[in-house]
Amino acid sequence: MGEFHTSDRQSPPPLPPLPKGGSYEGPHLAMGVAPSDIVRNSTENRTRRVNRGEPRSNCLCRPVPAVPRSAVTWISCLLLLLAGCSEQDMVTQPKILPYQESDFFADGRSARPVVPGTVARGHLRVDRAYYEGKVGDELIDTIPRKVTRDVLERGQQRYNIYCSPCHDRTGEGRGMIVQRGFPQPPTFHQDRLRDAPVGHFYNVITHGYGAMYSYAARVDPDDRWAIVAYIRALQLSQHATLDDVPSAKRDALKTEGSR
Amino acid sequence: MSQIFHPSMNTISRVSIFGALFFVLGTLGIVYGIFGSPYVTQVHVVRDQPVPFSHEHHVSALGLDCRYCHTSVENSSFAGIPPTETCMTCHSQIWTESPMLEPVRASLRNNEPIRWNRVHDLPDYVFFNHGIHINKGIGCTSCHGRVDKMPLMWKNEPLTMEWCLSCHRAPEKHIRPREDVFVMDWAPPAGKDQIALGKELLKQYDIPVHRLTDCYTCHR
């Protein structure tokens, strides 16, 4: 949705054939329409020009066969100078950039909500296990994507951004916002949550839980599973013993002490 | 025939020629000065906002990451301004009586967006994209300054073409490892200077410096 006028962003399409009649601004202007018309082009005209995705200069540089070339060049140059006067057109173009206010819709929002009953491309989400964390009505207990080191690292990063303000980096639930008065969440290291199926965590992120809001708008399903995987890792870490550490790293841990 | 111009005219004409030169240069200088001044570029000028939102509070004191609110900054052209719901993840429970936050609560009640006033606003004919800069190791502070020290948001750089180009010509002066983009007080690691590190990263991230100054990079 945000990428409304994508055509503006790419290289312009090949030039259209020169029109025969007068509806097209370029040749018209070159033949001596009062210059002020360029400045005060009606919105209609401007919109059309933008929709065609062509910079104005395309029209100006095209020689019109009937008029001597040099005259066209000169007039074009003069018009180019004049273009400076209509700067406003270019600075504030009649296109909608993300979040820009629009007077086209009654509520002023240019980013439109999805029309009820429709599905956006790529959002068909038929895989219930992946997108809802459930099979039938049962919460699933295996993460429905491959968990690699990359996924865990991504999960750690996302957890630290979106969850640690309240749950803190270890999952004890004493984050900075809690210290400022937010209700304290339960620690992830209690038995109830250690035994909870992964689908539960996925659903808490998706739908929120009690005082906790939903994070669905900010954390996409891939990242939700990455975070769930990382929470599992956190839970393991709090109950780990030295035997869980690869033997090669044990000595390093001992010398580093408890950090 | 007697002379029309007295010899002293020599001096006067010289003075006026130089005078004219100085006058022209001076005028140009003043014009340049005006266009570079905060009056025109709005650098360091604070804008009125419906809610006096403080980055200093939320970023330094609470330690929030930029992405908690500016969610799309890594993979979109637009960094994203947080919707009301994002504020409410916290303010539904804390500071619920604060009069300063009334517009936020009203927005949620009435399902009406908060109208934040833009601080940074490039002309529409300039193409800009956050994603590419973040992914190639340009930190927020290189363009927005120390946001974590701003009680109210201001523009730290003029956002003129000259300014964009000054980096596009020599990105090695600013580039840092990708994972440190969001760090506010980043400095090159001890014993390494920025240029050397920058040159390394330019190679590593495969940055096409030669075409970063082409017009079509930013005007398309």
Side-chain angles (χ1 to χ4, degrees), chain A residues 1-14 46-55 58 93-97, chain B residues 124 127 216 219-220:
Chain A
M1 288 298 280
E3 304 284 50
F4 191 46
H5 277 288
T6 34
S7 62
D8 285 302
R9 305 252 154 115
Q10 289 148 6
S11 51
R46 268 194 279 140
T47 319
R48 187 150 41 82
R49 206 182 301 145
V50 168
N51 284 344
R52 280 172 173 253
E54 299 165 273
N58 278 355
Q93 297 169 9
K95 66 182 177 191
I96 297 176
L97 295 166
Chain B
D124 288 2
F127 176 88
Y216 66 77
H219 303 293
R220 29 180 134 180

Side-chain angles (χ1 to χ4, degrees), chain A residues 28-64:
Chain A
H28 236 80
L29 294 176
M31 280 186 284
V33 167
S36 60
D37 283 354
I38 317 166
V39 184
R40 288 185 269 107
N41 250 326
S42 72
T43 344
E44 246 173 67
N45 275 343
R46 268 194 279 140
T47 319
R48 187 150 41 82
R49 206 182 301 145
V50 168
N51 284 344
R52 280 172 173 253
E54 299 165 273
R56 170 178 298 169
S57 55
N58 278 355
C59 342
L60 293 177
C61 300
R62 292 215 141 184
V64 178

Side-chain angles (χ1 to χ4, degrees), chain A residues 91 93 109 158 215 218, chain B residues 67-68 74 111 115 124:
Chain A
V91 172
Q93 297 169 9
R109 277 182 245 196
R158 296 289 123 172
Y215 282 76
R218 280 178 277 169
Chain B
R67 288 164 286 185
Y68 190 91
E74 290 164 296
N111 190 23
R115 288 189 157 71
D124 288 2

